[in-house]
Amino acid sequence: MISMVMVAVGVYARLLKHAEAAMACLAVDPAILLIVVGVLTFLITFCGCIGSLRENICLLQTFSVCLTIIFLLQLAAGVLGFVFSDKARGKVSEIINGAIVHYRDDLDLQNLIDFGQKEFSCCGGVSYKDWSQNMYFNCTATNPSRERCSVPFSCCLHDANQTVINTMCGHEMQKRGYLEASAFIYTNGCIDKLVNWIHSNLFLLGGITLGLALPQLVVIVLAQLLINQIRDQIKLQLYNQQHRADPWY
């Protein structure tokens, strides 16, 4: 049921977008991600549910193998992320820079970046001047955009008593130096902020990972136990049929 809701929400969000905007940044579209995850979740849980109800070994084996693959991929991702932390940091930097380039192309992506910059009190990837990678915020003299040399409003320092958000608060902030700009916007990049947050919340992340991994292991074990029970029942039925056919039985 949850996976079907995920697919429905993903399809609805996808249909609301303009065709040209939807194709601009397909790889980082949250709607596509929601649809893919929902479809995969539905197929896997369908195999487990129908397999257990109908006592179908093939479906139960498919369910168990899929869960095992997902668990191993999660484990491998965690180990590789820890061992190759520098490469993982570079990949995160690449993703953030790509998101900055497509900031105005996708409304969902724009809202996600704005939320991240507000929550982590950061701006751009390494610094606020990374926004020059975006065609609207580019600081070159040939850029005709009114947002030239600016940064999004989510980079701005907001007063707690401010009731109306000034969306032009980041106007021409890229022209200013770090000290001057720091009085109006966040100048630190989001990559360092994200890495620091991960380091300070390792126990929380570890607990969440363990909380996700243990149920998977339990379900895998239960599926294998059910498969063994079904096989034992089949063997018992075959044994009884053979002996009933025996005239000396």
Side-chain angles (χ1 to χ4, degrees):
M1 293 293 292
I2 294 174
S3 60
M4 291 176 67
V5 170
M6 292 171 62
V7 173
V9 172
V11 171
Y12 178 73
R14 188 69 179 170
L15 292 176
L16 286 180
K17 298 181 180 181
H18 298 293
E20 62 274 9
M23 294 300 293
C25 193
L26 189 62
V28 292
D29 190 351
I32 291 294
L33 182 63
L34 200 62
I35 294 172
V36 171
V37 173
V39 169
L40 290 177
T41 304
F42 176 79
L43 292 176
I44 294 173
T45 53
F46 178 82
C47 290
C49 182
I50 302 301
S52 59
L53 289 175
R54 304 298 300 175
E55 294 186 349
N56 188 299
I57 294 179
C58 182
L59 290 178
L60 286 173
Q61 284 283 28
T62 303
F63 174 71
S64 180
V65 169
C66 289
L67 280 185
T68 303
I69 292 174
I70 293 173
F71 175 78
L72 292 176
L73 288 175
Q74 292 174 346
L75 183 63
V79 172
L80 291 175
F82 180 78
V83 174
F84 302 101
S85 57
D86 293 336
K87 291 186 178 180
R89 180 189 176 94
K91 187 63 178 178
V92 171
S93 177
E94 180 182 340
I95 293 173
I96 292 178
N97 289 331
I100 289 174
V101 172
H102 296 284
Y103 176 74
R104 291 296 191 200
D105 300 339
D106 192 310
L107 184 60
D108 290 336
L109 180 64
Q110 180 176 320
N111 292 332
L112 181 62
I113 293 174
D114 287 336
F115 173 79
Q117 291 190 145
K118 290 178 183 177
E119 288 296 313
F120 290 103
S121 301
C122 59
C123 186
V126 178
S127 74
Y128 65 100
K129 294 192 176 182
D130 288 341
W131 279 103
S132 191
Q133 300 177 50
N134 186 279
M135 61 181 297
Y136 298 98
F137 299 103
N138 191 281
C139 216
T140 57
T142 56
N143 184 11
S145 174
R146 293 182 179 180
E147 296 178 305
R148 185 171 68 89
C149 279
S150 301
V151 294
F153 75 94
S154 55
C155 290
C156 298
L157 301 171
H158 296 293
D159 187 356
N161 298 323
Q162 186 180 12
T163 56
V164 179
I165 298 176
N166 178 16
T167 57
M168 295 300 293
C169 57
H171 183 62
E172 294 188 345
M173 284 296 163
Q174 292 187 56
K175 290 183 178 180
R176 307 191 181 194
Y178 280 86
L179 291 178
E180 186 181 2
S182 62
F184 303 96
I185 63 172
Y186 304 115
T187 55
N188 292 326
C190 294
I191 297 175
D192 291 333
K193 288 279 188 176
L194 180 60
V195 171
N196 292 335
W197 182 85
I198 292 175
H199 286 166
S200 60
N201 293 274
L202 283 177
F203 288 106
L204 175 62
L205 295 175
I208 294 174
T209 304
L210 187 62
L212 293 174
L214 284 179
Q216 290 179 0
L217 288 175
V218 171
V219 172
I220 291 171
V221 172
L222 290 177
Q224 290 299 324
L225 289 175
L226 181 57
I227 290 171
N228 291 333
Q229 290 178 358
I230 295 172
R231 285 174 174 169
D232 291 340
Q233 289 178 358
I234 293 174
K235 290 180 180 179
L236 181 60
Q237 290 176 357
L238 292 174
Y239 178 82
N240 291 334
Q241 290 176 359
Q242 290 175 356
H243 281 77
R244 284 172 186 163
D246 190 349
W248 297 101
Y249 177 72

